[in-house]
Amino acid sequence: MNKDLLNIEVQNFIKDNLNSDIPSLSLKKSPFPKIRSKELAEQVDSKKRCEHKLPLWFQTPGIYYPPKLAIEQASSELAAIYKSNLISGDDIIDLTGGFGVDTCFFAKKSKNVTHCELNAELSEISKYNSDVLGVKIEYHRVDGIEYLHSNTNKYNTIYIDPSRRVNSKKVFLLKDCEPDIIINLELLRSRSELLMIKTAPLLDIHSTINELKEVSSIHIVSIKNECKELLYLIDSKNCSNDPMIICALIAADETITYSFRISEERSFGITEYSNPLDFIYLPDVALLKAGCFKLITRDFGVHKIHPHTHLYTSDKLNSSFPGRKFKLNKIWNYGTFIKEQSFKKANIICRNFPVSPENLKKKLKISDGGDEYLLFCTSKNNELIVLSCCRN
């Protein structure tokens, strides 16, 4: 850490240059003799990235920012708050603490919170910022798994967020992440009452359940219809081969959850499919990631359009449906639409359709935007159709 970056005149410079071009800023001569231009540009860039993702840090004076990669890898503030409501007990340890966003919100809920981070600079930055934010956290500059091996402490909750990049390559199985959760699973379970494992959305849920053997619940976190992370909870008192899946749809002002068990979804049968009715529904990405395609017809009184078309419909609006809702204006057969269409601008969405949105835009010479939505899909009769809709 270069503590000179915390001087008031430097902090004012960073604040005044939040909208500056970062490459240009890094090439200009630094106005401060003890600070390199690259350091200034890095602080400006990282602070700007926190404006919406981490507003508490952005709005707090005197925060020291790490390189942008640490910001990109950190949980968002909304996701961290959600996780803080899942932890249990007063003794919490974050084995892969990083920038310390999750740890900070854990410390707002629990008395004894430990942060482990192998990267010495990142650990130092996180510790400094926790003092600025007024949260009490115990810091250790060490590999979290090695720290567990070095003592016999037991924790109410162990939280771990393994890296999905190994030697600069993305990996797709939990056992290939770092640290290796699977090889250390017995250790993690023996030292915790609750084990919470965070993974990126790219990891397959069913493969991960098979790797972990038993899981209590899985939380699929989406923020503004973007799937951000998966959380696997292993409760020492309540594990199952048929875990509860909780889809958490998070917005700034509310969190909506929808829960089901995998066995329920597998056993539930849909006997009828429907032509498009007055209202069309697109499930939130959390439900799509969860593989919840059938139960929502029962729970929200909607009909599926086709077994493989994840669009739903009803003649009366269900405002509680977990996803986007549209009012249907017109239906075309795809061939007829090609001949008749006169749209210059529209939002194109494809579901179970052989042509991609990008290729449709080129073919139809339609630009993105506006209030009109064109949904290209396959009907219950296996016909290619186009639905003209507006947001409801």
Side-chain angles (χ1 to χ4, degrees):
M1 283 180 66
N2 183 352
K3 295 290 183 68
D4 289 312
L5 284 164
L6 300 170
N7 294 337
I8 187 65
E9 63 273 16
V10 181
Q11 289 291 298
N12 288 335
F13 178 90
I14 292 168
K15 184 178 179 181
D16 292 341
N17 282 274
L18 288 177
N19 295 318
S20 297
D21 179 69
I22 300 302
S24 298
L25 192 62
S26 64
L27 293 173
K28 289 181 180 178
K29 183 180 179 181
S30 171
F32 309 103
K34 295 183 179 180
I35 301 172
R36 292 177 292 119
S37 297
K38 183 181 177 182
E39 290 177 300
L40 279 174
E42 187 176 80
Q43 288 294 301
V44 172
D45 186 26
S46 291
K47 181 178 176 71
K48 182 67 177 176
R49 291 171 185 272
C50 290
E51 183 173 5
H52 301 293
K53 184 176 184 177
L54 302 171
L56 176 61
W57 279 255
F58 181 82
Q59 294 165 11
T60 301
I63 291 292
Y64 194 104
Y65 295 92
K68 67 178 182 180
L69 181 61
I71 303 294
E72 292 171 352
Q73 293 177 338
S75 297
S76 70
E77 195 165 309
L78 289 174
I81 292 170
Y82 181 80
K83 279 177 278 191
S84 72
N85 292 316
L86 300 180
I87 61 173
S88 173
D90 282 332
D91 293 304
I92 316 295
I93 186 167
D94 184 342
L95 297 179
T96 49
F99 187 44
V101 176
D102 291 315
T103 325
C104 173
F105 286 98
F106 294 162
K108 291 177 180 287
K109 290 291 182 76
S110 299
K111 292 179 181 178
N112 306 309
V113 176
T114 302
H115 174 287
C116 295
E117 173 54 49
L118 186 59
N119 184 310
E121 182 183 24
L122 198 51
S123 178
E124 183 183 9
I125 291 172
S126 180
K127 183 179 187 305
Y128 165 79
N129 287 334
S130 69
D131 292 338
V132 174
L133 294 167
V135 291
K136 184 181 177 182
I137 299 170
E138 179 182 329
Y139 284 86
H140 296 277
R141 299 180 191 179
V142 65
D143 176 276
I145 296 295
E146 290 182 6
Y147 181 76
L148 284 185
H149 281 296
S150 72
N151 61 63
T152 58
N153 299 339
K154 291 195 174 183
Y155 299 90
N156 298 119
T157 302
I158 289 179
Y159 174 71
I160 187 165
D161 174 12
S163 173
R164 273 78 63 188
R165 279 191 178 273
V166 179
N167 297 323
S168 300
K169 294 182 180 179
K170 285 187 177 181
V171 295
F172 299 93
L173 292 173
L174 194 57
K175 66 182 179 64
D176 295 328
C177 296
E178 289 185 352
D180 184 338
I181 298 292
I182 304 307
I183 202 170
N184 290 291
L185 188 57
E186 184 178 346
L187 170 69
L188 294 166
R189 293 189 63 168
S190 69
R191 303 290 284 279
S192 63
E193 295 174 4
L194 176 67
L195 171 62
M196 188 191 306
I197 303 166
K198 170 187 168 182
T199 75
L202 59 87
L203 263 66
D204 180 74
I205 290 176
H206 298 288
S207 295
T208 304
I209 292 173
N210 289 336
E211 286 186 286
L212 293 171
K213 305 302 181 186
E214 290 187 320
V215 178
S216 304
S217 61
I218 302 163
H219 294 251
I220 304 174
V221 178
S222 80
I223 299 176
K224 298 179 181 178
N225 202 31
E226 183 179 350
C227 197
K228 292 294 187 180
E229 54 191 62
L230 308 182
L231 304 169
Y232 296 82
L233 274 62
I234 300 176
D235 186 333
S236 60
K237 299 176 183 177
N238 179 28
C239 278
S240 170
N241 292 319
D242 185 23
M244 183 70 74
I245 295 185
I246 299 96
C247 301
L249 287 56
I250 301 177
D253 55 348
E254 67 173 345
T255 296
I256 298 169
T257 60
Y258 174 73
S259 305
F260 69 98
R261 290 193 185 276
I262 294 173
S263 60
E264 287 183 277
E265 173 68 18
R266 285 175 177 167
S267 63
F268 185 78
I270 297 177
T271 56
E272 292 185 8
Y273 296 88
S274 173
N275 288 317
L277 302 171
D278 289 340
F279 296 94
I280 307 295
Y281 306 86
L282 273 71
D284 185 89
V285 292
L287 277 77
L288 297 177
K289 177 64 184 179
C292 187
F293 305 129
K294 298 183 292 184
L295 284 174
I296 52 179
T297 62
R298 178 196 72 186
D299 295 340
F300 296 97
V302 296
H303 305 283
K304 210 166 189 287
I305 288 177
H306 180 278
H308 305 299
T309 300
H310 303 317
L311 289 176
Y312 300 79
T313 190
S314 68
D315 53 7
K316 293 182 180 179
L317 176 65
N318 186 334
S319 58
S320 65
F321 185 90
R324 288 185 284 175
K325 295 165 275 288
F326 298 88
K327 178 72 173 70
L328 178 62
N329 297 324
K330 189 173 180 178
I331 306 173
W332 287 274
N333 172 277
Y334 177 55
T336 304
F337 178 82
I338 293 295
K339 296 175 184 177
E340 296 181 356
Q341 85 87 15
S342 58
F343 293 95
K344 300 298 181 184
K345 179 181 286 190
N347 302 282
I348 292 179
I349 298 171
C350 295
R351 292 291 184 272
N352 189 25
F353 198 79
V355 187
S356 71
E358 292 71 24
N359 287 335
L360 282 170
K361 290 173 197 172
K362 292 177 183 177
K363 180 176 182 177
L364 302 172
K365 297 181 180 178
I366 295 176
S367 61
D368 260 332
D371 298 325
E372 193 76 33
Y373 286 78
L374 296 175
L375 278 57
F376 293 75
C377 63
T378 301
S379 74
K380 72 170 190 174
N381 299 319
N382 291 313
E383 295 175 341
L384 299 181
I385 58 174
V386 183
L387 313 179
S388 171
C389 304
C390 58
R391 288 292 296 268
N392 199 285

